[in-house]
Amino acid sequence: EDEDEDHDEL
Amino acid sequence: MNIFRFSGDMTHLMSVLVLLLKIHTIKSCAGISLKTQELYALVFLARYLDIVTNFISLYNTIMKLIFLGSSFMIVWYIRRHRIVRRSYDKEHDTFRHLFLVLPCFILALLINERSAFKEIMWTFSLYLEAVAILPQLVLLQRTKNIDNLTGQYVFFLGAYRALYICNWIYRYFTEPHYVHWITWISGLVQTLLYADFFYYYFNSWKNNVKLQLPA
């Protein structure tokens, strides 16, 4: 799972 | 990044700027809940643990730094600034942090997407942000005269949440596999908390009378 894509919001 | 997400971030930024403007220029924090501000500082601290390890974009990092820095700066102003702290309404700002922090932390331990430390802290920050406005709303209800800047501060915060929901709807339809139940439900709860405030805010604006929330 791509962690970056998960938490790209503020 | 879509227009809803960007507008949401900008209204979030506006809310912080309005609050800092009020505190810095008028040297007053009347009507502002220190409890809510401390909870926000904790929210950003827990959420942005990955600020140095996980680079997403320059925009993302700068915004994180702004939200972290401004939240601690606001807390510092209210607690430590020799003039600003005099206007702090301690008598009415009586909400207990722990009543919100503890249940949110336990919930994050129980319900999360991945049980890694950073992921639990991220989830905790989502739950806590959803309810962090409560002390501020309680204080507004107890305050007879809500000044314009305080009203605008809460309005911008609410607008930011509403725009984030539009952003999620947009992303759900445009991006494959974009499903984040925890983020969505806590975000929805958070936005609903503003519904009452919005009702009275628009009424006062429409009728051109001073904003006041019923007790």
Side-chain angles (χ1 to χ4, degrees):
Chain A
E1 216 172 333
D2 189 354
E3 205 175 322
D4 289 17
E5 204 184 44
D6 268 354
H7 301 330
D8 63 347
E9 287 174 353
L10 300 159
Chain B
M1 184 160 36
N2 60 68
I3 186 74
F4 304 112
R5 157 77 199 281
F6 184 69
S7 313
D9 286 348
M10 289 305 112
T11 43
H12 193 184
L13 194 61
M14 283 294 286
S15 73
V16 174
L17 290 180
V18 163
L19 187 51
L20 275 173
L21 183 81
K22 172 186 157 90
I23 292 176
H24 189 78
T25 58
I26 310 173
K27 295 280 184 288
S28 161
C29 63
I32 299 299
S33 165
L34 175 63
K35 312 281 177 168
T36 284
Q37 296 308 320
E38 287 176 336
L39 290 174
Y40 279 140
L42 185 60
V43 163
F44 294 132
L45 207 60
R47 185 172 305 169
Y48 300 155
L49 282 175
D50 65 349
I51 191 167
V52 280
T53 54
N54 191 14
F55 183 79
I56 294 163
S57 66
L58 191 62
Y59 170 83
N60 215 280
T61 305
I62 289 173
M63 292 296 271
K64 282 176 176 174
L65 285 172
I66 291 175
F67 289 136
L68 263 172
S70 59
S71 65
F72 278 91
M73 199 177 188
I74 291 164
V75 169
W76 177 83
Y77 259 119
I78 302 176
R79 293 190 84 107
R80 295 269 179 259
H81 192 281
R82 71 191 162 86
I83 300 169
V84 175
R85 70 179 184 191
R86 281 185 220 149
S87 54
Y88 172 50
D89 189 0
K90 207 179 183 171
E91 316 276 279
H92 291 118
D93 190 25
T94 52
F95 216 100
R96 299 285 181 88
H97 298 92
L98 212 59
F99 286 157
L100 297 177
V101 174
L102 201 63
C104 288
F105 191 71
I106 293 169
L107 198 64
L109 286 174
L110 298 173
I111 307 172
N112 52 61
E113 277 184 27
R114 284 190 299 270
S115 56
F117 174 71
K118 266 199 287 189
E119 187 64 25
I120 288 171
M121 293 309 277
W122 165 273
T123 314
F124 164 65
S125 83
L126 290 178
Y127 295 152
L128 190 60
E129 190 191 356
V131 291
I133 194 66
L134 284 174
Q136 180 62 67
L137 291 176
V138 169
L139 184 61
L140 283 187
Q141 230 167 33
R142 291 172 174 176
T143 311
K144 283 279 169 284
N145 289 307
I146 303 169
D147 63 85
N148 284 337
L149 286 175
T150 306
Q152 276 158 17
Y153 165 66
V154 180
F155 170 78
F156 278 127
L157 270 181
Y160 141 61
R161 294 317 312 179
L163 285 161
Y164 253 63
I165 289 183
C166 299
N167 157 52
W168 295 329
I169 295 170
Y170 181 86
R171 292 187 71 171
Y172 178 77
F173 286 109
T174 53
E175 291 174 31
H177 317 298
Y178 186 74
V179 178
H180 293 290
W181 288 112
I182 292 176
T183 315
W184 294 348
I185 292 170
S186 47
L188 190 65
V189 168
Q190 188 177 358
T191 315
L192 287 175
L193 291 180
Y194 290 90
D196 197 51
F197 171 84
F198 270 120
Y199 175 79
Y200 292 104
Y201 185 87
F202 282 119
N203 262 349
S204 83
W205 178 71
K206 198 176 71 188
N207 304 323
N208 206 14
V209 291
K210 212 160 172 52
L211 175 63
Q212 207 176 327
L213 302 186

